[in-house]
Amino acid sequence: MQAWHFTEMPYPHLPPLETLKTMRVSLASKHYDPKIGADLYNRYLDEYMIADELGLNMLLNEHHQTATCIDVAAPLSAAVLARQTSKGRICILGNPVANRGDPIRIAEEMAMIDCISRGRLDVGFVRGVPYEIFAANTNPTQTVERLWEGIDLVTKAWTTTEGPFNFEGRFTHRRAVNLWPRPYQTPHPAVWITGSSDLDNIKRAAGRGFVFATFLQPHAKVKWMFDGYRSAFMDTGLPGGGGTAYMPLVFTADSDAEAEAGARELTWYLDAKSEPQYRNPPGYVPVEFNVQALKGAFAGRTEAMRKQSIEFLKDQGVLIYGKPDDVAKQIHRLYDLVGGFDNLLMMGQAGHMSHERTVRSMKLFAKEVYPQVRDLARTKPLNAKVAAE
Amino acid sequence: MSAAGLDYRFLKLGGVDIEVGMQGAGSPVLVLAGEEQLENTLPLIGELAKSHQVVVPSAPGFGKSARPDWMTNPDDIAYLYLDLIDAMALKSLAVVGFSLGGWIAAEMAVKNDRAFSKLALVDPYGVKIGGPFDVDIQDIWTSHPDKVAALKWYDRTKGERDFTKMSDDELSIVARNIESFARFCWDPYMHNPKLKQRLHRIKTPTLFIWGENDGIVTPAYGKAYAGLVPGAKFASIAEAGHYPHIEQPAAFNKILTEFLG
């Protein structure tokens, strides 16, 4: 099992939350102090460099118009780390190709980072959470189609080495695509896809040999998704060989009291406030889901986890915390409950959690937990092609 | 749609299955419903059907009409409805369009209004009047639902719908309508940048009917829109928002009936 350090790079120094209507999309930037922001950017990048020294991999993402995440351009932070770290893998999870609207630019950026890092890059693609629709003004009824058309174009651009090709798709038209540089890795870096409910999408990722990742979901649902992935996996020869990834909040401490204190700080992320119109833009989820929403029975993915006790979150495998042996035990339990998984994406910093506390937890994990989980077997995806033969 | 007298059938137009409600006999009136299809069950339909053949199509993705992927804006719907007029051989046709339906009616008229006798547009979207930084049409998708309701209705209690009392079939239509409205109108937001330059082509006698208290598209927007259509008249209705035909049906029906003659 591979372990990854992750922070959304939050900007938590806000007025009292009860005085704000939202932390996302429409929070005025007068609440952002550039000097504090400068400190935060450098601090979060320092933490990734420490993660690298500790033998952890580095996971980055991006969001827009939100205090929950000031990494608004993951390729920039990945480029910094490609140059400033030397060992760990770097994964952007992911490039919001549906919202960025320029797949070729993404292909170029990823190829360049892959070269600078000498092949340490994994490239995720995401459809983007509902809030992101508004910052990009993407039509919310077409994000899945935009995602896959973008991936098709990026992978074709990476792997076409004999000169220009033509692409006239539904959303992008380019008549002379000819990528320089091409990626360091062959045929191209591992591709990761995220998902939270759409099984067809998960199987589509599996069928292309991509890694499938999901975040902060109850373990029963994670198993359902991972089983779906494993049932449809095809090895297409990509570096890393596909696999599954799960992101819980993770905090490791010397004492139970300190562990609980850290765990409570991490749940800041789950309590991020937003206004209702940003949570479920029209057409973002299928009509069947919106029928339930109209009845008041569906309010979005993270809503289900809001305001739950840390004990509940721990039982669900969404929040892992404790002394090193306890943390290792919880990871083993989660591994068994979901039928195994290959990448532990640790949201190890959130909200107001200090640099010292974050690094202490990372160090304890790297030294005392990782050796207990590193050798958990790679899951054995059913190779659908072999099974068919 | 539950029956309010409309008899629904399906027509295949350009390969797309389109649901069409029909009622009454006489000179034809094409009613283009708004994005919520609230018009289909109004008494207004029955009133018009006393002396007209009333035709109420569901736009692609609305009601039970299919929505092919290639259709992305109201311009596409307008061509489909021109096919509908041909397929039903409708002549000397009065067209009444509400909100999104009004926009579609305007898109039809700039292409070919030879079959039209009258054109009534009720609080339509469709054009941008101001500059890039001006909000011509209030953003219903980035605004809090309470604000949207306040902008849309003079008396918002008239717009309340109890979704918990609807069947899944009815809710599916509500959800489809919400989704398809976004499919067609998200970007450019609620307007076609070309339409403004084409409105001069309309030869049909045209009446804009506007709720005085419409906060989504204001009467000032409506008057500027009407000013782009040669000879168009403008009528406003007091104590009414975006749906004057629902908030003030008597005043609305009087204006519309006089106009249709």
Side-chain angles (χ1 to χ4, degrees):
Chain A
M1 175 179 288
Q2 294 280 306
W4 302 69
H5 170 68
F6 175 66
T7 173
E8 275 221 313
M9 303 196 187
Y11 184 94
H13 305 286
L14 301 171
L17 295 191
E18 56 275 17
T19 67
L20 301 176
K21 285 182 186 158
T22 179
M23 287 157 62
R24 300 183 189 269
V25 187
S26 58
L27 178 64
S29 66
K30 67 184 177 189
H31 297 299
Y32 172 84
D33 180 334
K35 294 193 176 64
I36 296 174
D39 289 344
L40 285 173
Y41 279 119
N42 283 285
R43 174 205 147 179
Y44 294 139
L45 289 168
D46 286 345
E47 287 166 9
Y48 278 107
M49 291 170 69
I50 292 166
D52 183 56
E53 287 162 15
L54 291 169
L56 302 174
N57 296 318
M58 296 155 275
L59 184 77
L60 300 159
N61 77 340
E62 71 176 60
H63 286 290
H64 302 265
Q65 296 191 186
T66 176
T68 60
C69 172
I70 56 172
D71 192 352
V72 294
L76 295 184
S77 41
V80 170
L81 295 176
R83 175 78 181 151
Q84 289 206 289
T85 66
S86 55
K87 296 186 295 189
R89 296 201 65 77
I90 300 165
C91 180
I92 296 178
L93 196 59
N95 290 280
V97 64
N99 291 337
R100 277 190 66 181
D102 187 352
I104 294 302
R105 175 75 186 204
I106 293 172
E108 289 175 331
E109 290 166 355
M110 296 303 106
M112 185 170 162
I113 296 168
D114 198 34
C115 289
I116 294 171
S117 69
R118 298 184 197 280
R120 288 187 290 130
L121 184 68
D122 286 7
V123 180
F125 292 98
V126 292
R127 168 160 95 112
V129 295
Y131 316 104
E132 297 294 307
I133 291 292
F134 300 94
N137 199 29
T138 311
N139 192 308
T141 73
Q142 297 172 321
T143 51
V144 175
E145 296 97 316
R146 282 180 182 275
L147 169 73
W148 284 102
E149 183 178 296
I151 292 169
D152 285 346
L153 180 51
V154 169
T155 51
K156 172 81 173 167
W158 280 338
T159 53
T160 299
T161 58
E162 296 295 333
F165 69 89
N166 187 69
F167 187 84
E168 292 167 289
R170 206 169 142 197
F171 306 107
T172 302
H173 289 198
R174 289 292 191 94
R175 295 193 306 282
V177 181
N178 186 31
L179 208 69
W180 278 76
R182 62 191 173 92
Y184 190 89
Q185 296 171 86
T186 302
H188 59 73
V191 171
W192 295 42
I193 296 282
T194 59
S196 61
S197 58
D198 184 346
L199 204 56
D200 290 341
N201 207 45
I202 294 166
K203 289 183 175 178
R204 195 167 176 180
R208 295 184 186 207
F210 297 170
V211 178
F212 171 69
T214 192
F215 313 142
L216 304 171
Q217 300 265 9
H219 58 71
K221 195 170 168 199
V222 175
K223 181 176 194 310
W224 173 74
M225 289 188 279
F226 284 179
D227 283 348
Y229 174 89
R230 287 184 280 256
S231 75
F233 179 78
M234 297 258 271
D235 188 348
T236 56
L238 294 181
T244 50
Y246 177 67
M247 178 183 289
L249 306 166
V250 179
F251 189 76
T252 311
D254 297 301
S255 70
D256 289 333
E258 168 65 7
E260 189 177 319
R264 288 191 192 284
E265 278 197 321
L266 289 178
T267 61
W268 178 92
Y269 172 79
L270 298 176
D271 294 337
K273 268 174 106 167
S274 67
E275 288 197 287
Q277 69 271 24
Y278 303 132
R279 290 180 211 146
N280 183 21
Y284 183 84
V285 295
V287 165
E288 311 84 80
F289 280 60
N290 279 325
V291 167
Q292 299 306 314
L294 287 164
K295 292 176 178 172
F298 168 77
R301 181 186 56 150
T302 47
E303 288 305 298
M305 289 296 155
R306 279 169 64 93
K307 306 295 174 201
Q308 297 283 6
S309 69
I310 59 171
E311 291 77 16
F312 174 86
L313 296 171
K314 183 179 180 181
D315 182 61
Q316 289 299 321
V318 169
L319 174 58
I320 291 175
Y321 64 98
K323 292 185 282 193
D325 289 351
D326 297 331
V327 168
K329 235 177 261 168
Q330 289 169 60
I331 294 167
H332 278 269
R333 172 179 174 262
L334 182 63
Y335 181 93
D336 291 339
L337 284 169
V338 303
F341 63 106
D342 307 311
N343 293 280
L344 176 68
L345 314 176
M346 302 187 290
M347 190 183 233
Q349 194 284 330
H352 293 276
M353 185 176 285
S354 69
H355 176 70
E356 291 69 27
R357 194 172 238 178
T358 304
V359 172
R360 179 72 191 139
S361 168
M362 284 164 59
K363 284 185 172 165
L364 276 172
F365 179 90
K367 292 201 171 68
E368 300 187 33
V369 183
Y370 205 6
Q372 299 187 52
V373 299
R374 193 199 301 268
D375 294 332
L376 279 170
R378 281 290 306 262
T379 52
K380 295 278 187 286
L382 174 71
N383 191 324
K385 194 175 167 190
V386 173
E389 285 165 359
Chain B
M1 290 286 125
S2 60
L6 282 169
D7 174 27
Y8 288 95
R9 65 193 71 175
F10 284 86
L11 293 178
K12 199 174 265 301
L13 300 167
V16 185
D17 287 316
I18 294 297
E19 176 186 48
V20 184
M22 296 181 210
Q23 189 178 351
S27 65
V29 176
L30 180 68
V31 174
L32 300 185
E35 54 274 17
E36 296 177 86
Q37 293 197 303
L38 300 176
E39 291 75 20
N40 296 45
T41 50
L42 292 181
L44 170 67
I45 301 291
E47 287 297 313
L48 288 171
K50 285 177 186 168
S51 51
H52 297 281
Q53 176 194 8
V54 181
V55 179
V56 191
S58 296
F62 293 80
K64 292 182 175 170
S65 290
R67 189 188 73 205
D69 280 348
W70 64 265
M71 299 191 98
T72 54
N73 57 49
D75 197 51
D76 296 323
I77 306 173
Y79 280 108
L80 199 78
Y81 283 171
L82 289 170
D83 288 349
L84 173 69
I85 292 175
D86 289 346
M88 293 184 68
L90 299 172
K91 303 237 163 35
S92 191
L93 173 70
V95 180
V96 186
F98 299 90
S99 193
L100 170 61
W103 176 5
I104 297 167
E107 293 278 7
M108 295 170 73
V110 299
K111 292 169 179 52
N112 182 356
D113 64 351
R114 272 173 298 185
F116 289 20
S117 62
K118 299 277 173 66
L119 179 59
L121 304 177
V122 186
D123 296 68
Y125 315 113
V127 295
K128 180 158 178 66
I129 303 296
F133 289 99
D134 296 320
V135 178
D136 293 275
I137 302 165
Q138 288 298 315
D139 194 336
I140 62 159
W141 288 309
T142 65
S143 302
H144 193 284
D146 289 342
K147 184 185 170 190
V148 175
L151 290 168
K152 203 193 291 189
W153 299 90
Y154 173 75
D155 173 5
R156 62 179 291 180
T157 60
K158 295 195 175 157
E160 282 165 3
R161 287 193 283 174
D162 187 352
F163 294 124
T164 62
K165 297 223 159 52
M166 290 188 185
S167 69
D168 278 15
D169 198 37
E170 290 169 316
L171 289 172
S172 291
I173 289 174
V174 172
R176 288 193 86 215
N177 291 357
I178 291 170
E179 175 179 311
S180 294
F181 188 31
R183 163 60 62 90
F184 290 112
C185 305
W186 189 271
D187 179 29
Y189 179 67
M190 299 288 188
H191 75 284
N192 172 0
K194 306 282 175 70
L195 180 60
K196 193 170 155 184
Q197 310 303 331
R198 295 172 178 167
L199 289 170
H200 69 90
R201 288 172 45 82
I202 298 178
K203 311 270 190 306
T204 310
T206 301
L207 175 66
F208 285 75
I209 307 174
W210 222 273
E212 264 183 16
N213 308 99
D214 187 348
I216 306 283
V217 276
T218 64
Y221 171 91
K223 283 172 188 161
Y225 198 160
L228 296 164
V229 178
K233 303 275 195 304
F234 186 90
S236 59
I237 295 176
E239 299 188 357
H242 190 62
Y243 295 131
H245 50 298
I246 296 176
E247 294 205 71
Q248 301 297 339
F252 178 85
N253 292 3
K254 184 165 180 293
I255 290 170
L256 182 67
T257 311
E258 279 176 17
F259 176 65
L260 296 181

